[in-house]
């Protein structure tokens, strides 16, 4: 590739990164004079690349919005970032279609220069994850984009939803935001029919349709905090109440916001949030067998207020640990 042609392609790459670039900035990046930059811009325009000239003190050149551009050119670092993002997103379940992420990665891989592709292949072969890939039900891309548009413009959206028990319903939702958590997509907002805030899994929505009208997003916690608090207060078989002596940070290390809620057991003598004190911990669970090891790992004084079955499980774990410690 001749040097002028290479500089023209570099100019296109700089403009594709967005914003308005001054002639002085482009000349410095390309290592040429300002009049040469203008000549390169004319060459791009001759190739039907929509370059706009911006006048004024901070003027320069930019790409016109809304036009179909030639294929994006990716540097080594950019190609690595895109492919790793696709791999990590597929691994975490944060994709709409697994095949879409696979075909996108294959297309990027196919057009890379050979030396870059070899280096990326070596990285992907050497890359390992500490967790196992999960099986996730991914949402429909059209539904995800429809709901996202409703969030952005604060428009009501009609959804057809199937809950975990297989019951189907049609609801009108004032969606506050979309949250990705633990490999799943959720939308949180006000369910107009129930008159209360609700969180819905996007993969369980069969249809989404934007409705006329608008709404105001209420003050208070953001969408992510709403989803986590909803998990912590969801209906399960057991309601657990504990008192744990420690800091909120120590307790959250083992019982995060998606699992448990924290509150003051009694007025704190020290207002410092890092001070150790008795905190009330409430959570709901379908099973209790996972809790005794978690409480043991906390290594903080605690009291089980309810249920009585949890006290028995904690005592049984303590007996097993003591027996193991005495074993020779």
């Amino acid at each position: 590739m001749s040097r002028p042609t290479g500089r023209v392609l570099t100019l296109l790459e700089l403009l594709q990164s967005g914003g308005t670039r001054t002639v002085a900035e482009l000349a410095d990046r390309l290592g040429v004079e300002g009049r040469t930059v203008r000549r390169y811009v004319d060459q791009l325009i001759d190739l039907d690349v929509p370059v706009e000239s911006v006048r004024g003190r901070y003027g320069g050149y930019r790409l016109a919005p809304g036009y179909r551009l030639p294929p994006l050119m990716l540097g080594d670092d950019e190609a690595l970032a895109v492919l790793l993002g696709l791999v990590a997103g597929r691994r975490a379940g944060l994709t709409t279609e697994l095949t879409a992420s696979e075909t996108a990665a294959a297309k990027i891989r196919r057009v890379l220069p050979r030396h870059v592709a070899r280096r990326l292949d070596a990285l992907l072969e050497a890359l390992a994850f500490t967790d196992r890939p999960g099986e996730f039900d991914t949402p429909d891309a059209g539904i995800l984009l429809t709901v996202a548009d409703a969030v952005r413009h604060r428009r009501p959206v009609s959804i057809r939803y199937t809950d975990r028990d297989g019951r189907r319903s049609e609801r009108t939702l004032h969606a506050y935001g979309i949250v990705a958590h633990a490999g799943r997509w959720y939308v949180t907002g006000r369910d107009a029919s129930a008159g209360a805030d609700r969180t819905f899994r996007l993969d369980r929505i069969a249809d989404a349709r934007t409705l006329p009208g608008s709404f105001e997003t209420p003050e208070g916690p953001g969408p992510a905090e709403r989803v986590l608090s909803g998990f912590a207060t969801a209906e399960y078989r057991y309601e657990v109440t504990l008192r744990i002596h420690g800091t909120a940070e120590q307790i959250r290390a083992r019982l995060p916001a998606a699992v448990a809620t924290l509150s003051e057991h009694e007025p704190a003598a020290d207002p410092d949030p890092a001070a150790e004190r008795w905190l009330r911990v409430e959570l709901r669970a379908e099973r209790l067998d996972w809790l005794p090891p978690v409480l043991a790992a906390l290594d903080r004084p605690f009291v089980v207020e309810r249920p009585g079955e949890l006290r028995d499980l904690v005592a049984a774990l303590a007996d097993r640990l003591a027996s193991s410690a005495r074993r020779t």
Side-chain angles (χ1 to χ4, degrees):
M1 183 184 297
S2 63
R3 288 182 62 82
T5 302
R7 290 192 182 113
V8 171
L9 293 176
T10 301
L11 171 61
L12 175 58
E13 184 177 358
L14 292 171
L15 294 175
Q16 283 183 153
S17 64
T20 300
R21 303 292 185 125
T22 66
V23 173
E25 177 188 1
L26 293 171
D28 181 65
R29 295 290 297 274
L30 297 172
V32 297
E33 297 180 352
R35 60 185 178 182
T36 305
V37 171
R38 297 183 181 92
R39 189 169 71 247
Y40 290 164
V41 169
D42 290 338
Q43 293 182 37
L44 289 177
I45 294 174
D46 290 341
L47 294 171
D48 294 326
V49 176
V51 182
E52 292 182 342
S53 176
V54 180
R55 298 183 180 277
R57 179 180 177 185
Y58 300 103
Y61 294 104
R62 68 185 180 195
L63 289 180
Y67 286 86
R68 184 177 180 85
L69 297 176
L72 295 176
M73 295 179 293
L74 298 176
D76 291 14
D77 292 343
E78 294 168 326
L80 175 61
V82 171
L83 284 178
L84 286 180
L86 288 169
V87 170
R90 186 168 68 242
R91 177 99 183 179
L94 300 181
T95 57
T96 54
E97 294 281 347
L98 293 180
T99 53
S101 61
E102 291 171 354
T103 55
K107 288 178 181 178
I108 294 174
R109 169 65 178 77
R110 189 163 56 245
V111 299
L112 290 175
R114 188 173 300 174
H115 75 283
V116 177
R118 282 199 301 265
R119 297 179 67 187
L120 291 177
D121 285 343
L123 172 63
L124 295 176
E125 289 176 8
L127 182 63
F129 290 86
T130 57
D131 61 335
R132 298 180 180 179
E135 293 294 330
F136 302 108
D137 295 320
T138 56
D140 177 82
I143 290 174
L144 178 62
L145 294 175
T146 298
V147 173
D149 187 69
V151 170
R152 181 175 186 180
H153 295 98
R154 299 178 181 176
R155 299 276 300 277
V157 60
S158 173
I159 62 173
R160 285 195 288 116
Y161 191 72
T162 303
D163 66 16
R164 62 182 178 183
D165 296 322
R167 294 188 295 264
R168 298 179 182 178
S169 60
E170 187 161 341
R171 304 164 183 263
T172 297
L173 180 67
H174 293 173
Y176 303 151
I178 295 172
V179 178
H181 172 70
R184 297 197 187 279
W185 295 87
Y186 299 89
V187 56
T188 183
R190 188 160 189 83
D191 184 347
S193 58
D197 289 353
R198 293 286 188 269
T199 294
F200 301 97
R201 269 176 47 179
L202 275 163
D203 60 281
R204 290 178 175 166
I205 297 177
D207 182 61
R209 198 165 35 86
T210 305
L211 301 175
S214 62
F215 65 89
E216 291 296 324
T217 303
E219 299 290 337
E225 189 175 345
R226 290 176 185 272
V227 169
L228 293 178
S229 63
F231 290 152
T233 58
E235 291 297 327
Y236 289 103
R237 181 180 177 185
Y238 295 100
E239 294 186 357
V240 178
T241 304
L242 309 162
R243 296 200 310 272
I244 302 178
H245 190 266
T247 66
E249 183 179 1
Q250 290 169 336
I251 297 172
R252 284 295 185 217
R254 300 290 179 177
L255 295 169
V259 174
T261 60
L262 301 185
S263 61
E264 294 284 353
H265 170 58
E266 54 190 25
D270 187 348
D272 183 1
E276 292 187 4
R277 56 186 180 276
W278 285 99
L279 295 174
R280 185 179 300 279
V281 179
E282 296 179 311
L283 59 97
R284 290 169 170 81
E286 281 296 314
R287 296 175 14 249
L288 297 174
D289 55 347
W290 61 275
L291 260 173
V294 170
L295 295 174
L298 270 173
D299 194 25
R300 306 301 309 163
F302 68 89
V303 175
V304 177
E305 292 190 353
R306 63 172 180 169
E309 297 97 315
L310 180 57
R311 296 192 195 96
D312 297 337
L313 291 174
V314 170
L317 175 62
D319 289 341
R320 291 197 302 272
L321 293 175
S323 176
S324 298
R326 290 192 296 266
R327 189 175 300 131
T328 59

